[in-house]
Structures are given as structure tokens and as C-alpha cells.
């Protein structure tokens, strides 16, 4: 069974995290969930529910405190199949890019980089400062996938929920979790 880490920070975009979790919970894998303190607050503000409501009754999820550096996902010997940080604040991205593993989320991301495990970072900021872009470049140069939540306009989706789910589908695909949530480009059909 695959082990996937999901990190949720205090950046906007919690609805994307909610859709990602709902899909991951429907699959044959274990989700290791880490939220920053602001991630938990923003999740509640944007989705209208506490994170426990999203995971209610799901047996394949393990929740860790962001301060728990003794958690198994803090070590490369545990072995995970990938990590998604959605949404990822530019502060969290900066810490990871500069090797600061002072929280479980940043430590788990550092482990993914050192073990060459897929790490998908979905930064939520606009416009990006030059400093943020430099940190994202550093992450990319070290193996992370940088995926700002940008919709695929070619699929002509107009509904907000469909657009969000499509974005999540692309991120999960990049993480190695195959899904049917997004439309793959198959050329123009004129």
C-alpha cells in the first residue's frame, strides 16, 4: 500500500486540499497528514469545516502534529511514495529551499528531496516576489515539482469545482497517483 504525505499550510487554496484528500481517501493508500497551525485555521475559514470533518471515518489516514519531529515520516528509513504540499505558503517553500527542517512538514519535505521521492509543491501567492521565485527555482533544481494551482484552459471547464478538481488531478498525477480527475490533452479536435 502506498504512503502519501499531504501537507497543508496557511496559504489560500484549502478547497484544493479538501478535493485532494477526498480523492486520496478513496484510493488504496495511506495518507499521512500534517497541517501547520495557520493551515488548520485557513482550512476552516475557506471550506467552512474543520479538518476532522473531511477525514471523519477514514481509516487510512494518520494525522501528525507539525511539531512532532519523532513521527515516522521524519525519517527516510520509513519510506513514503510522495508528498504533496497543497497549498504551500512561500514561507514554507523558503524553509524547505534553504534546508530548514524545524517542523515535521519541512523535515518530511527535506526527506523527500534527499531520498529522491516525488515532492509536489503548490505555492499560493501572486504575484511571486523575486525571493519567492528564487526559492522555488532552488526547489525545482533539487527535484521538487512546482505546481501553482493553474487551471488547464483547453478543457473549457467553467464550473469552479470542476476547475479545482482538474488542478488537483494534475497534481496527483505528477505525484504518481493515477486518477480520472483531469482532462489529458489529446490534440485539437477541429
Amino acid at each position: 500500500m502506498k504512503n502519501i504525505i499531504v501537507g497543508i499550510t496557511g496559504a489560500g487554496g484549502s478547497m484544493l486540499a479538501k478535493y485532494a484528500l477526498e480523492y486520496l481517501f478513496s484510493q488504496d493508500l495511506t495518507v499521512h497528514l500534517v497541517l501547520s497551525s495557520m493551515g488548520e485555521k485557513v482550512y476552516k475559514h475557506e471550506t467552512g469545516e474543520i479538518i476532522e470533518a473531511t477525514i471523519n471515518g477514514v481509516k487510512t489516514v494518520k494525522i501528525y502534529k507539525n511539531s512532532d519531529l519523532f513521527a515516522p515520516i521524519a525519517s527516510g528509513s520509513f519510506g513514503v511514495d510522495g508528498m504533496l504540499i497543497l497549498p504551500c505558503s512561500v514561507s514554507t517553500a523558503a524553509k524547505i529551499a534553504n534546508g530548514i527542517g524545524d517542523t515535521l512538514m519541512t523535515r518530511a519535505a527535506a526527506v523527500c528531496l534527499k531520498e529522491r521521492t516525488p515532492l509536489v509543491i503548490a505555492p499560493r501567492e501572486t504575484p511571486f516576489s523575486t525571493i519567492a521565485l528564487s526559492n522555488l527555482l532552488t526547489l525545482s533544481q533539487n527535484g521538487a515539482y512546482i505546481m501553482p494551482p493553474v487551471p488547464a484552459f483547453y478543457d473549457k471547464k467553467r464550473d469552479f469545482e470542476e476547475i479545482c478538481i482538474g488542478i488537483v488531478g494534475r497534481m496527483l498525477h505528477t505525484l504518481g497517483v493515477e486518477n480520472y480527475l483531469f482532462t489529458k490533452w489529446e490534440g485539437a479536435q477541429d
Side-chain angles (χ1 to χ4, degrees):
M1 180 180 293
K2 281 188 171 187
N3 286 295
I4 301 293
I5 302 170
V6 176
I8 300 174
T9 73
S14 294
M15 190 57 70
L16 297 167
K18 177 179 167 59
Y19 293 137
L21 289 173
E22 287 173 350
Y23 183 79
L24 290 169
F25 293 155
S26 73
Q27 302 304 298
D28 186 26
L29 49 82
T30 299
V31 174
H32 301 268
L33 182 61
V34 183
L35 289 93
S36 69
S37 58
M38 281 306 296
E40 202 163 353
K41 290 175 185 174
V42 172
Y43 189 93
K44 181 178 180 185
H45 175 75
E46 291 184 351
T47 66
E49 60 186 53
I50 57 173
I51 192 71
E52 287 80 6
T54 300
I55 62 173
N56 187 27
V58 177
K59 293 182 174 43
T60 57
V61 63
K62 297 181 184 209
I63 305 170
Y64 304 96
K65 292 184 182 209
N66 202 22
S67 61
D68 184 6
L69 292 173
F70 279 104
I73 60 173
S75 173
S77 65
F78 178 70
V80 298
D81 297 288
M83 180 174 185
L84 170 64
I85 304 178
L86 171 68
C88 184
S89 67
V90 292
S91 174
T92 299
K95 283 183 170 190
I96 299 165
N98 289 283
I100 301 169
D102 63 342
T103 66
L104 181 56
M105 192 175 319
T106 59
R107 172 62 188 160
V111 167
C112 287
L113 290 175
K114 80 179 184 72
E115 298 292 329
R116 306 285 195 254
T117 302
L119 171 61
V120 176
I121 294 179
R124 268 290 302 118
E125 182 87 13
T126 191
F128 288 115
S129 71
T130 304
I131 294 168
L133 288 168
S134 177
N135 286 327
L136 294 172
L137 175 61
T138 297
L139 288 167
S140 178
Q141 290 170 331
N142 285 281
Y145 296 95
I146 308 302
M147 296 188 74
V150 177
F153 295 102
Y154 61 81
D155 64 13
K156 301 178 183 167
K157 289 187 171 42
R158 301 285 185 257
D159 177 79
F160 177 74
E161 185 174 352
E162 285 182 337
I163 290 169
C164 290
I165 290 172
I167 291 168
V168 165
R170 274 299 308 265
M171 291 175 182
L172 294 177
H173 174 77
T174 301
L175 190 61
V177 177
E178 290 307 316
N179 64 83
Y180 58 85
L181 301 176
F182 71 104
T183 304
K184 296 179 181 178
W185 176 252
E186 296 182 9
Q189 307 296 323
D190 291 337

